[in-house]
Amino acid sequence: MTVPTCLTVTRPAAPLSGTVVVPGDKSISHRALMFAGLAIGETRIDGLLVGEDVLRTAAAMRALGAEIRRDGATWYVVGRGIGGLTEPEDVLDMGNSGTAARLLCGILATHPLTATLTGDASLRRRPMARVTDPLVRFGARFMTRAGQRMPLTVRGADVPIPINYVLPVASAQVKSAILLAGLNARGDTQVTELSPTRDHTENMLRHFGAKLGVTTGAEGTQITLAGQPELRAAPITVPGDPSSAAFAIVAALLVPGSAIRIDGVGINTLRTGLFTTLAEMGADIAFTGHRLAGGEPVADITVRQTALRAVDVPAARAPSMIDEYPILAAAAAIAAGTTRLRGLQELRVKESDRLTATAALLAANGVAVAVEGDDLLITGQAGPLPGGGSVATHMDHRLAMTGCVLGLGARDPVTIDDMRFVDTSFPGFIPLMNRLGAGLATPCA
Ligand code: S3P
């Protein structure tokens, strides 16, 4: 099916129902390709997310010398070994992906080569100082545009020095960039995080045979990586992305009478803040069939539509649901009472300024919202929201999908200006939603 750029979404006449499987986890997919490219031997990857963002990482790792091929749904990567990547002949275009760009900066910082990274207009606006600042301490040099933005050129350290770094922002991307750089520095690299962030990098380092020490105390979590380990190829099965499942789950909560199941979703507790929050709002969500996939916990999720009540989400929960605030805001729009989402400063530097854009998309559809400092307040309708407005997506996949879900719970049709970026993280979003009965098909008039 051809996806229209601009989409009009109306409330479905019948409840959503059925069982679906969402595409592979984006964070784990990037890391699988990167670690496999740094390992010795051939890594088999099943369930890789074939989204634009991950394809950028695949192209970059290929340009750096890794052999990557695809056979149906299975991917095979022959790595170069730590320190073994080769200088790319051309600029590496990371598209829309902050994760790809920032993690790659980490890898390149401790390889003795020169590379230039660019991205689309959204990525070129995003701050890179958060990775370049610590990475220069390894001995790397960076040339950036004003404001430490991309395009940037990195000259990796010839003799990398391990570092000891306390993360000033709760960011798994920054933590991962440092650990990836530390792989090729002789000695111990140490990162301390004050609030826990997703630990897929740590899990995958262990999976590939690196030695990692993790201690948690009053001063946060300290991760110590012994440099220059031999990473050995190890098969990976990528679980379904909880951040993608979130859209179908909230859709089922917005359409009366719905009951759906999503199989094989990653439920790493550092990613499940949305599920905790929805349960606090009164959502009926059940997890069954707990198992492991590629070293990560996975379950099947069943959700049944129930009335939701407003909630106060603490700032401390933000790292475990950082990508889920726009879709949580859609749930808050139909809940009874005023929801307060605290400590959303990091949302301002995502694929768009998601704090401003989320407030704008709700306001355009008749929902009372306010931004107070870094908090977002949403007064729910205790039922369907008015709708009838448009959603400006600002090159941001999650705003586009949030707009669609919002439209499913609105009295009047909601228009989403640009659906193209959905493919960065959730290829097949529209057909999957339509298998559940969403009926997303109408191009804008
Ligand atoms: C990611 C970390 C988060 C998240 C992004 C993926 C990762 O970013 O928003 O979508 O894979 O490490 P920050 O680390 O900047 O919070």
Side-chain angles (χ1 to χ4, degrees):
M1 133 188 212
T2 322
V3 176
T5 302
C6 177
L7 193 69
T8 298
V9 179
T10 47
R11 289 184 82 185
L16 303 186
S17 64
T19 301
V20 287
V21 175
V22 293
D25 188 276
K26 181 156 70 72
S27 293
I28 296 175
S29 296
H30 284 299
R31 287 159 173 82
L33 291 170
M34 289 179 185
F35 281 106
L38 291 170
I40 301 286
E42 184 177 79
T43 293
R44 174 190 167 127
I45 309 172
D46 288 294
L48 190 86
L49 168 64
V50 190
E52 296 286 342
D53 278 12
V54 174
L55 293 174
R56 298 287 178 168
T57 289
M61 291 307 292
R62 250 188 217 122
L64 290 162
E67 271 173 49
I68 303 181
R69 73 192 162 84
R70 179 183 178 179
D71 185 2
T74 304
W75 291 64
Y76 297 91
V77 180
V78 179
R80 303 286 305 202
I82 286 173
L85 298 177
T86 49
E87 188 164 271
E89 283 178 19
D90 204 349
V91 171
L92 304 173
D93 185 350
M94 309 322 294
N96 193 250
S97 179
T99 307
R102 295 195 177 118
L103 269 55
L104 206 63
C105 281
I107 293 177
L108 296 171
T110 54
H111 274 78
L113 52 79
T114 301
T116 298
L117 271 62
T118 191
D120 69 13
S122 155
L123 184 53
R124 282 184 270 117
R125 277 193 293 268
R126 298 181 67 183
M128 296 301 286
R130 54 182 55 203
V131 289
T132 58
D133 283 353
L135 293 175
V136 293
R137 303 212 205 159
F138 282 96
R141 280 175 291 153
F142 287 88
M143 291 257 295
T144 65
R145 275 198 314 133
Q148 300 214 26
R149 289 173 211 273
M150 294 169 70
L152 63 75
T153 295
V154 50
R155 171 70 208 174
D158 290 320
V159 186
I161 308 148
I163 70 165
N164 203 324
Y165 193 70
V166 180
L167 292 176
V169 276
S171 166
Q173 290 179 359
V174 180
K175 171 175 69 176
S176 302
I178 294 167
L179 291 171
L180 282 161
L183 277 174
N184 199 30
R186 224 169 129 184
D188 285 354
T189 289
Q190 201 170 69
V191 194
T192 303
E193 56 178 3
L194 307 175
S195 345
T197 63
R198 66 191 70 191
D199 59 358
H200 306 305
T201 297
E202 295 91 307
N203 294 342
M204 214 172 276
L205 277 167
R206 286 194 199 91
H207 186 65
F208 279 91
K211 283 206 185 67
L212 205 66
V214 180
T215 56
T216 302
E219 260 99 75
T221 301
Q222 261 186 6
I223 303 144
T224 307
L225 170 69
Q228 299 187 324
E230 189 178 291
L231 296 185
R232 285 179 307 275
I236 295 172
T237 301
V238 181
D241 196 329
S243 299
S244 296
F247 296 101
I249 288 172
V250 173
L253 293 169
L254 262 65
V255 179
S258 298
I260 66 162
R261 201 174 99 189
I262 309 174
D263 282 347
V265 182
I267 53 160
N268 180 322
T269 52
L270 295 166
R271 296 287 299 282
T272 50
L274 174 76
F275 303 153
T276 306
T277 305
L278 291 174
E280 284 174 7
M281 295 171 84
D284 179 353
I285 300 189
F287 299 83
T288 53
H290 290 82
R291 55 200 182 271
L292 286 176
E296 294 273 348
V298 166
D300 306 323
I301 303 180
T302 304
V303 54
R304 288 185 184 78
Q305 188 265 328
T306 41
L308 301 180
R309 52 183 178 270
V311 72
D312 189 325
V313 182
R317 198 177 291 164
S320 69
M321 54 180 298
I322 194 65
D323 292 333
E324 279 66 77
Y325 284 101
I327 193 62
L328 173 60
I334 59 137
T338 298
T339 287
R340 183 182 277 268
L341 310 177
R342 295 178 189 268
L344 306 190
Q345 61 278 6
E346 274 295 297
L347 258 54
R348 297 188 198 273
V349 290
K350 293 296 174 188
E351 286 81 332
S352 67
D353 173 351
R354 276 190 192 152
L355 181 49
T356 306
T358 301
L361 73 83
L362 292 177
N365 286 287
V367 181
V369 279
V371 176
E372 282 181 9
D374 295 326
D375 294 358
L376 180 61
L377 279 83
I378 303 151
T379 300
Q381 308 279 319
L385 61 134
S390 60
V391 169
T393 53
H394 304 285
M395 306 178 79
D396 187 332
H397 52 133
R398 299 204 199 278
L399 294 180
M401 291 186 277
T402 296
C404 286
V405 173
L406 200 74
L408 298 176
R411 280 197 294 272
D412 291 329
V414 171
T415 292
I416 297 94
D417 70 346
D418 188 353
M419 291 299 294
R420 290 170 303 170
F421 286 85
V422 168
D423 282 352
T424 61
S425 70
F426 199 156
F429 167 74
I430 289 182
L432 181 141
M433 292 302 294
N434 287 348
R435 282 202 293 285
L436 295 172
L440 306 176
T442 318
C444 298

